[in-house]
Amino acid sequence: MKRLILPAFFCSLAVVFLFTSAARQIKSPIAPDFHFEGPSIVIHGGAGTITRANMRPEMEALVRASLTRVLDSGYAALARGEDRMDVVVRVLSMLEDDSLFNAGIGAVVNAEGVAELDASVMDGMTRKAGAVAGLQHVAHPAALARAVMDHTSHVFLIGEGAEQFAWEEGMDPVQNAYFLTKRRGKQYQNWIEQHKKGTVGVVVKDAQGHLAAGTSTGGMMGKQWGRVGDVPVLGAGTYADDRGAAISCTGHGEYFIREAVAYQVNARMQFGHESLAQAAHTVLFDVLNAQQGQGGLIGIDAQGHAIMTFNSEGMYRGAKGVLTGTQGPALRFVGIYADQ
Ligand code: ASP
Protein backbone atom coordinates (compact mmCIF):
# COMPACT_ATOMS: atom_id res chain seq x y z
CA MET A 1 0.00 0.00 0.00
CA LYS A 2 1.36 3.36 -1.00
CA ARG A 3 1.81 5.59 1.99
CA LEU A 4 1.79 9.34 1.79
CA ILE A 5 4.40 10.90 3.99
CA LEU A 6 3.42 14.35 5.23
CA PRO A 7 6.12 16.68 6.45
CA ALA A 8 5.87 16.87 10.24
CA PHE A 9 5.52 20.63 10.36
CA PHE A 10 2.65 20.43 7.88
CA CYS A 11 0.71 18.10 10.13
CA SER A 12 1.27 19.94 13.35
CA LEU A 13 0.30 23.18 11.62
CA ALA A 14 -2.96 21.57 10.48
CA VAL A 15 -3.82 20.40 13.97
CA VAL A 16 -2.97 23.75 15.50
CA PHE A 17 -5.02 25.61 12.91
CA LEU A 18 -8.01 23.35 13.38
CA PHE A 19 -8.67 23.87 17.02
CA THR A 20 -6.45 26.41 18.71
CA SER A 21 -7.61 29.74 17.36
CA ALA A 22 -9.06 31.83 20.20
CA ALA A 23 -12.07 30.06 21.62
CA ARG A 24 -15.39 31.80 21.03
CA GLN A 25 -16.31 33.77 24.11
CA ILE A 26 -19.90 34.58 23.20
CA LYS A 27 -22.29 32.61 25.31
CA SER A 28 -25.69 32.00 23.87
CA PRO A 29 -28.62 32.03 26.32
CA ILE A 30 -28.68 28.98 28.56
CA ALA A 31 -31.79 27.43 27.16
CA PRO A 32 -32.33 24.40 24.97
CA ASP A 33 -32.25 25.13 21.25
CA PHE A 34 -35.44 23.13 20.82
CA HIS A 35 -38.01 21.34 22.94
CA PHE A 36 -39.36 18.39 20.99
CA GLU A 37 -42.10 15.94 21.77
CA GLY A 38 -42.18 12.45 20.32
CA PRO A 39 -39.34 11.02 18.29
CA SER A 40 -36.57 13.51 17.61
CA ILE A 41 -33.05 13.58 16.26
CA VAL A 42 -30.01 15.86 16.43
CA ILE A 43 -26.89 15.40 14.28
CA HIS A 44 -23.49 17.04 13.87
CA GLY A 45 -20.89 16.93 11.13
CA GLY A 46 -18.01 18.38 13.12
CA ALA A 47 -16.92 21.65 14.71
CA GLY A 48 -13.95 23.90 14.03
CA THR A 49 -12.87 27.12 12.36
CA ILE A 50 -15.89 27.26 10.10
CA THR A 51 -16.76 30.83 9.05
CA ARG A 52 -18.69 32.39 6.19
CA ALA A 53 -15.48 34.05 5.07
CA ASN A 54 -13.66 30.77 4.52
CA MET A 55 -16.58 28.70 3.25
CA ARG A 56 -17.12 28.36 -0.49
CA PRO A 57 -20.82 28.69 -1.39
CA GLU A 58 -20.81 25.38 -3.32
CA MET A 59 -19.42 23.62 -0.26
CA GLU A 60 -21.98 25.24 2.01
CA ALA A 61 -24.82 24.13 -0.28
CA LEU A 62 -23.48 20.56 -0.38
CA VAL A 63 -23.14 20.37 3.40
CA ARG A 64 -26.61 21.78 4.04
CA ALA A 65 -28.14 19.38 1.50
CA SER A 66 -26.35 16.43 3.01
CA LEU A 67 -27.34 17.28 6.60
CA THR A 68 -30.94 17.75 5.44
CA ARG A 69 -31.02 14.38 3.67
CA VAL A 70 -29.56 12.56 6.67
CA LEU A 71 -31.91 14.28 9.15
CA ASP A 72 -34.96 13.45 7.06
CA SER A 73 -33.94 9.82 6.72
CA GLY A 74 -33.15 9.43 10.43
CA TYR A 75 -36.31 11.19 11.53
CA ALA A 76 -38.51 9.16 9.17
CA ALA A 77 -37.00 5.94 10.54
CA LEU A 78 -37.67 7.03 14.14
CA ALA A 79 -41.19 8.12 13.27
CA ARG A 80 -41.79 4.66 11.72
CA GLY A 81 -40.82 3.18 15.05
CA GLU A 82 -37.47 1.79 13.92
CA ASP A 83 -35.18 0.68 16.75
CA ARG A 84 -33.19 3.65 18.10
CA MET A 85 -29.85 1.87 17.81
CA ASP A 86 -30.65 0.95 14.19
CA VAL A 87 -31.36 4.62 13.53
CA VAL A 88 -28.09 5.71 15.15
CA VAL A 89 -26.11 3.29 12.96
CA ARG A 90 -28.13 4.15 9.82
CA VAL A 91 -27.47 7.89 10.27
CA LEU A 92 -23.77 7.41 11.02
CA SER A 93 -23.38 5.05 8.04
CA MET A 94 -24.90 7.66 5.73
CA LEU A 95 -22.47 10.27 7.05
CA GLU A 96 -19.55 7.81 6.84
CA ASP A 97 -20.41 7.23 3.17
CA ASP A 98 -20.46 10.99 2.52
CA SER A 99 -17.03 12.31 1.57
CA LEU A 100 -17.88 15.76 2.91
CA PHE A 101 -17.28 14.58 6.45
CA ASN A 102 -14.30 13.29 8.40
CA ALA A 103 -15.63 9.76 8.93
CA GLY A 104 -15.54 6.74 6.63
CA ILE A 105 -14.94 7.98 3.06
CA GLY A 106 -13.29 11.39 3.32
CA ALA A 107 -11.64 10.68 6.66
CA VAL A 108 -8.49 12.63 7.46
CA VAL A 109 -5.20 10.72 7.59
CA ASN A 110 -2.55 10.26 10.20
CA ALA A 111 1.05 11.45 9.86
CA GLU A 112 1.82 8.44 7.69
CA GLY A 113 -0.99 9.17 5.26
CA VAL A 114 -3.19 6.33 6.54
CA ALA A 115 -6.85 6.66 7.56
CA GLU A 116 -7.43 5.26 11.06
CA LEU A 117 -11.05 5.33 12.12
CA ASP A 118 -12.74 5.43 15.54
CA ALA A 119 -16.42 5.11 16.49
CA SER A 120 -18.75 4.36 19.37
CA VAL A 121 -22.47 3.90 20.06
CA MET A 122 -24.44 3.78 23.29
CA ASP A 123 -27.99 2.99 24.34
CA GLY A 124 -29.45 5.26 27.01
CA MET A 125 -31.98 2.77 28.36
CA THR A 126 -29.65 -0.18 29.00
CA ARG A 127 -26.34 1.78 29.05
CA LYS A 128 -24.98 -0.92 26.78
CA ALA A 129 -22.27 0.39 24.50
CA GLY A 130 -19.78 -0.59 21.82
CA ALA A 131 -16.61 1.13 20.62
CA VAL A 132 -13.86 0.54 18.05
CA ALA A 133 -10.59 2.35 17.36
CA GLY A 134 -7.69 2.33 14.93
CA LEU A 135 -9.59 0.70 12.04
CA GLN A 136 -7.91 0.85 8.64
CA HIS A 137 -10.12 -1.39 6.51
CA VAL A 138 -13.70 -1.21 7.87
CA ALA A 139 -16.08 0.89 5.77
CA HIS A 140 -18.66 1.43 8.52
CA PRO A 141 -17.00 1.78 11.94
CA ALA A 142 -20.25 2.70 13.73
CA ALA A 143 -21.89 -0.53 12.55
CA LEU A 144 -18.91 -2.44 13.92
CA ALA A 145 -19.21 -0.60 17.25
CA ARG A 146 -22.83 -1.71 17.36
CA ALA A 147 -21.76 -5.31 16.65
CA VAL A 148 -19.27 -5.13 19.53
CA MET A 149 -22.16 -4.02 21.75
CA ASP A 150 -24.57 -6.70 20.55
CA HIS A 151 -22.38 -9.69 19.73
CA THR A 152 -19.50 -9.67 22.23
CA SER A 153 -19.21 -9.54 25.99
CA HIS A 154 -16.87 -6.56 25.59
CA VAL A 155 -17.29 -2.83 25.05
CA PHE A 156 -14.16 -1.71 23.21
CA LEU A 157 -12.12 -3.45 20.48
CA ILE A 158 -9.11 -1.91 18.72
CA GLY A 159 -6.92 -2.35 15.65
CA GLU A 160 -6.41 -5.79 14.14
CA GLY A 161 -8.52 -7.51 16.78
CA ALA A 162 -11.45 -5.26 15.95
CA GLU A 163 -10.95 -5.88 12.22
CA GLN A 164 -10.74 -9.64 12.70
CA PHE A 165 -14.06 -9.41 14.54
CA ALA A 166 -15.49 -7.38 11.62
CA TRP A 167 -14.64 -10.16 9.12
CA GLU A 168 -16.17 -12.74 11.49
CA GLU A 169 -19.31 -10.59 11.49
CA GLY A 170 -19.43 -10.88 7.71
CA MET A 171 -18.14 -7.39 6.88
CA ASP A 172 -15.92 -7.10 3.79
CA PRO A 173 -12.54 -5.44 4.12
CA VAL A 174 -11.81 -2.35 2.03
CA GLN A 175 -8.40 -1.01 0.98
CA ASN A 176 -7.28 1.94 3.07
CA ALA A 177 -7.31 3.99 -0.17
CA TYR A 178 -11.12 3.57 -0.16
CA PHE A 179 -11.29 6.31 2.49
CA LEU A 180 -8.96 8.73 0.73
CA THR A 181 -10.84 11.08 -1.56
CA LYS A 182 -9.45 13.33 -4.27
CA ARG A 183 -10.41 16.21 -2.05
CA ARG A 184 -8.32 14.80 0.78
CA GLY A 185 -5.48 14.32 -1.69
CA LYS A 186 -5.66 17.99 -2.56
CA GLN A 187 -5.80 18.75 1.13
CA TYR A 188 -2.25 17.53 1.52
CA GLN A 189 -1.15 20.21 -0.91
CA ASN A 190 -3.59 22.87 0.16
CA TRP A 191 -4.91 21.80 3.51
CA ILE A 192 -5.67 25.29 4.70
CA GLU A 193 -8.66 25.47 2.36
CA GLN A 194 -9.95 22.20 3.62
CA HIS A 195 -10.00 22.54 7.36
CA LYS A 196 -13.75 22.41 7.69
CA LYS A 197 -14.39 18.71 7.72
CA GLY A 198 -15.66 17.09 10.82
CA THR A 199 -16.43 14.10 12.85
CA VAL A 200 -20.06 12.97 12.64
CA GLY A 201 -22.47 12.28 15.45
CA VAL A 202 -26.12 11.64 16.24
CA VAL A 203 -28.36 11.60 19.28
CA VAL A 204 -31.96 10.40 19.20
CA LYS A 205 -35.01 10.12 21.40
CA ASP A 206 -37.48 7.46 20.32
CA ALA A 207 -41.27 7.53 20.66
CA GLN A 208 -41.01 5.85 24.08
CA GLY A 209 -38.61 8.52 25.38
CA HIS A 210 -35.50 6.32 25.30
CA LEU A 211 -32.21 7.83 24.19
CA ALA A 212 -29.24 6.70 22.11
CA ALA A 213 -26.04 8.29 20.84
CA GLY A 214 -23.23 7.54 18.42
CA THR A 215 -20.12 9.21 16.98
CA SER A 216 -17.72 8.29 14.14
CA THR A 217 -14.48 9.92 12.98
CA GLY A 218 -11.17 9.77 11.18
CA GLY A 219 -9.73 11.69 14.14
CA MET A 220 -7.45 14.67 13.67
CA MET A 221 -5.42 15.41 10.53
CA GLY A 222 -1.78 14.40 10.88
CA LYS A 223 -2.34 12.60 14.18
CA GLN A 224 0.38 10.29 15.42
CA TRP A 225 0.06 6.67 14.30
CA GLY A 226 -1.94 4.82 16.98
CA ARG A 227 -3.49 7.96 18.44
CA VAL A 228 -7.04 7.46 19.69
CA GLY A 229 -9.28 10.48 20.26
CA ASP A 230 -12.35 11.05 22.36
CA VAL A 231 -14.86 9.61 19.89
CA PRO A 232 -14.61 5.92 20.87
CA VAL A 233 -13.94 6.73 24.52
CA LEU A 234 -17.33 6.37 26.20
CA GLY A 235 -17.92 9.25 28.57
CA ALA A 236 -15.58 11.50 26.55
CA GLY A 237 -16.95 11.77 22.99
CA THR A 238 -20.14 9.73 23.38
CA TYR A 239 -22.51 8.88 26.22
CA ALA A 240 -26.20 8.07 26.58
CA ASP A 241 -28.25 7.68 29.73
CA ASP A 242 -32.04 8.03 29.88
CA ARG A 243 -31.62 9.59 33.36
CA GLY A 244 -29.42 12.35 31.91
CA ALA A 245 -28.91 12.87 28.19
CA ALA A 246 -27.58 11.36 24.99
CA ILE A 247 -24.44 13.29 24.01
CA SER A 248 -22.13 13.23 20.97
CA CYS A 249 -19.07 15.49 20.85
CA THR A 250 -16.72 16.91 18.24
CA GLY A 251 -13.55 18.90 18.67
CA HIS A 252 -10.00 18.60 19.93
CA GLY A 253 -10.36 15.12 21.38
CA GLU A 254 -7.55 15.24 23.90
CA TYR A 255 -9.41 17.93 25.88
CA PHE A 256 -12.67 16.03 25.64
CA ILE A 257 -11.02 12.93 27.08
CA ARG A 258 -9.36 14.78 29.94
CA GLU A 259 -12.62 16.44 30.98
CA ALA A 260 -14.83 13.39 30.36
CA VAL A 261 -17.10 15.81 28.53
CA ALA A 262 -20.01 13.57 27.54
CA TYR A 263 -20.19 12.03 30.99
CA GLN A 264 -19.53 15.32 32.75
CA VAL A 265 -22.66 16.76 31.13
CA ASN A 266 -24.59 13.72 32.39
CA ALA A 267 -23.11 13.97 35.88
CA ARG A 268 -23.94 17.66 36.14
CA MET A 269 -27.51 16.85 35.19
CA GLN A 270 -27.94 13.83 37.42
CA PHE A 271 -26.01 14.87 40.52
CA GLY A 272 -25.84 18.66 40.15
CA HIS A 273 -29.43 18.94 38.90
CA GLU A 274 -28.42 21.24 36.05
CA SER A 275 -30.50 21.29 32.88
CA LEU A 276 -28.95 19.81 29.74
CA ALA A 277 -28.38 23.30 28.32
CA GLN A 278 -26.77 24.58 31.55
CA ALA A 279 -24.52 21.55 31.84
CA ALA A 280 -23.41 21.74 28.21
CA HIS A 281 -22.70 25.47 28.46
CA THR A 282 -20.70 25.09 31.64
CA VAL A 283 -18.57 22.31 30.19
CA LEU A 284 -17.93 24.07 26.87
CA PHE A 285 -17.64 27.70 27.92
CA ASP A 286 -16.12 27.38 31.38
CA VAL A 287 -14.29 24.06 31.64
CA LEU A 288 -13.05 23.69 28.03
CA ASN A 289 -12.58 27.38 27.26
CA ALA A 290 -10.34 27.71 30.29
CA GLN A 291 -8.04 25.21 28.58
CA GLN A 292 -8.48 26.47 25.01
CA GLY A 293 -10.14 23.15 24.19
CA GLN A 294 -12.26 23.79 21.13
CA GLY A 295 -15.28 21.95 19.85
CA GLY A 296 -18.93 21.32 20.42
CA LEU A 297 -21.56 18.81 21.33
CA ILE A 298 -25.11 17.83 20.58
CA GLY A 299 -27.49 16.43 23.16
CA ILE A 300 -31.05 15.42 23.87
CA ASP A 301 -32.74 14.46 27.12
CA ALA A 302 -35.72 12.23 27.80
CA GLN A 303 -38.05 15.27 27.92
CA GLY A 304 -36.99 16.24 24.40
CA HIS A 305 -34.78 19.23 25.24
CA ALA A 306 -32.25 19.39 22.42
CA ILE A 307 -28.99 21.34 22.23
CA MET A 308 -26.24 21.99 19.68
CA THR A 309 -23.60 23.96 21.57
CA PHE A 310 -20.04 24.86 20.48
CA ASN A 311 -17.20 27.15 21.50
CA SER A 312 -15.55 26.99 18.08
CA GLU A 313 -16.48 29.31 15.24
CA GLY A 314 -18.90 26.91 13.65
CA MET A 315 -20.37 23.45 13.83
CA TYR A 316 -22.18 21.54 11.09
CA ARG A 317 -25.43 20.57 12.78
CA GLY A 318 -29.11 19.80 12.42
CA ALA A 319 -32.19 18.78 14.37
CA LYS A 320 -35.65 17.53 13.56
CA GLY A 321 -38.75 16.89 15.62
CA VAL A 322 -42.22 18.17 16.47
CA LEU A 323 -41.98 21.21 18.75
CA THR A 324 -43.75 20.78 22.08
CA GLY A 325 -47.14 22.41 22.10
CA THR A 326 -47.57 22.34 18.34
CA GLN A 327 -49.46 19.79 16.34
CA GLY A 328 -46.60 19.45 13.91
CA PRO A 329 -45.44 19.08 11.24
CA ALA A 330 -41.91 18.35 12.38
CA LEU A 331 -39.50 21.27 12.36
CA ARG A 332 -36.19 20.79 10.60
CA PHE A 333 -33.18 22.97 11.48
CA VAL A 334 -29.79 22.96 9.74
CA GLY A 335 -26.96 25.27 10.81
CA ILE A 336 -23.26 25.82 10.21
CA TYR A 337 -22.18 29.13 11.77
CA ALA A 338 -22.94 30.62 15.18
CA ASP A 339 -25.68 32.69 13.56
CA GLN A 340 -26.85 29.57 11.69
N1 ASP B 1 -12.94 14.67 18.25
C1 ASP B 1 -12.24 14.12 17.11
C2 ASP B 1 -10.92 13.57 17.58
O1 ASP B 1 -10.26 14.23 18.37
C3 ASP B 1 -11.98 15.09 16.02
C4 ASP B 1 -13.15 15.95 15.60
O2 ASP B 1 -14.19 15.95 16.24
O3 ASP B 1 -13.03 16.66 14.58
O4 ASP B 1 -10.53 12.51 17.13
Side-chain angles (χ1 to χ4, degrees):
M1 186 184 316
K2 189 167 175 258
R3 294 201 163 189
L4 233 150
I5 309 294
L6 299 178
F9 82 93
F10 209 54
C11 309
S12 45
L13 206 60
V15 171
V16 167
F17 184 80
L18 260 167
F19 287 117
T20 57
S21 69
R24 198 161 59 98
Q25 293 300 330
I26 312 146
K27 288 192 193 190
S28 40
I30 302 180
D33 293 293
F34 297 108
H35 189 185
F36 294 128
E37 58 186 28
S40 27
I41 179 168
V42 188
I43 61 174
H44 73 73
T49 315
I50 307 169
T51 62
R52 281 204 168 78
N54 62 23
M55 172 74 80
R56 290 198 308 275
E58 317 85 76
M59 178 63 94
E60 173 167 344
L62 284 173
V63 168
R64 287 189 189 273
S66 178
L67 294 174
T68 301
R69 187 176 60 94
V70 171
L71 269 179
D72 285 351
S73 167
Y75 180 78
L78 279 175
R80 280 196 302 271
E82 225 175 79
D83 175 83
R84 59 188 172 277
M85 294 307 298
D86 287 347
V87 176
V88 163
V89 171
R90 166 204 286 267
V91 162
L92 292 177
S93 297
M94 286 178 81
L95 292 163
E96 287 166 346
D97 286 344
D98 189 329
S99 66
L100 289 171
F101 303 104
N102 171 20
I105 298 173
V108 299
V109 293
N110 66 15
E112 300 192 31
V114 177
E116 282 190 304
L117 312 175
D118 304 335
S120 65
V121 297
M122 183 159 179
D123 179 30
M125 186 177 87
T126 60
R127 256 102 59 218
K128 283 188 173 173
V132 288
L135 307 178
Q136 295 187 6
H137 308 99
V138 175
H140 296 113
L144 186 59
R146 167 93 188 277
V148 171
M149 167 178 151
D150 284 348
H151 303 155
T152 76
S153 54
H154 306 301
V155 168
F156 201 164
L157 294 181
I158 61 162
E160 280 178 36
E163 295 200 333
Q164 181 57 44
F165 171 64
W167 320 148
E168 285 163 15
E169 284 287 295
M171 292 184 177
D172 291 323
V174 296
Q175 300 276 329
N176 196 256
Y178 167 86
F179 302 111
L180 311 182
T181 58
K182 271 199 192 128
R183 198 181 293 115
R184 286 294 182 207
K186 266 169 72 187
Q187 182 173 16
Y188 308 139
Q189 289 125 37
N190 196 8
W191 62 268
I192 222 159
E193 263 196 311
Q194 294 290 334
H195 58 272
K196 311 172 198 86
K197 306 288 160 39
T199 293
V200 300
V202 57
V203 295
V204 300
K205 175 170 81 74
D206 69 14
Q208 286 71 46
H210 298 305
L211 309 179
T215 317
S216 182
T217 190
M220 287 176 77
M221 178 61 117
K223 64 187 179 180
Q224 188 171 325
W225 175 50
R227 178 265 191 188
V228 175
D230 59 317
V231 165
V233 178
L234 293 154
T238 307
Y239 202 76
D241 187 338
D242 281 3
R243 300 165 302 182
I247 302 288
S248 170
C249 301
T250 171
H252 196 148
E254 279 69 10
Y255 295 95
F256 284 69
I257 294 175
R258 288 184 202 144
E259 296 297 343
V261 166
Y263 185 71
Q264 189 179 148
V265 171
N266 266 275
R268 286 176 176 277
M269 293 175 71
Q270 291 183 51
F271 312 124
H273 308 293
E274 293 179 22
S275 69
L276 168 60
Q278 277 172 326
H281 278 243
T282 305
V283 173
L284 280 164
F285 293 103
D286 297 340
V287 177
L288 285 178
N289 258 11
Q291 305 197 9
Q292 296 291 304
Q294 273 207 31
L297 61 86
I298 55 171
I300 193 160
D301 69 15
Q303 289 73 48
H305 300 110
I307 51 141
M308 296 163 280
T309 312
F310 49 102
N311 68 8
S312 53
E313 247 122 0
M315 179 166 81
Y316 296 143
R317 61 199 189 278
K320 188 164 181 178
V322 173
L323 290 178
T324 307
T326 69
Q327 301 303 311
L331 170 125
R332 187 208 305 121
F333 166 87
V334 170
I336 296 180
Y337 316 106
D339 62 353
Q340 311 188 349

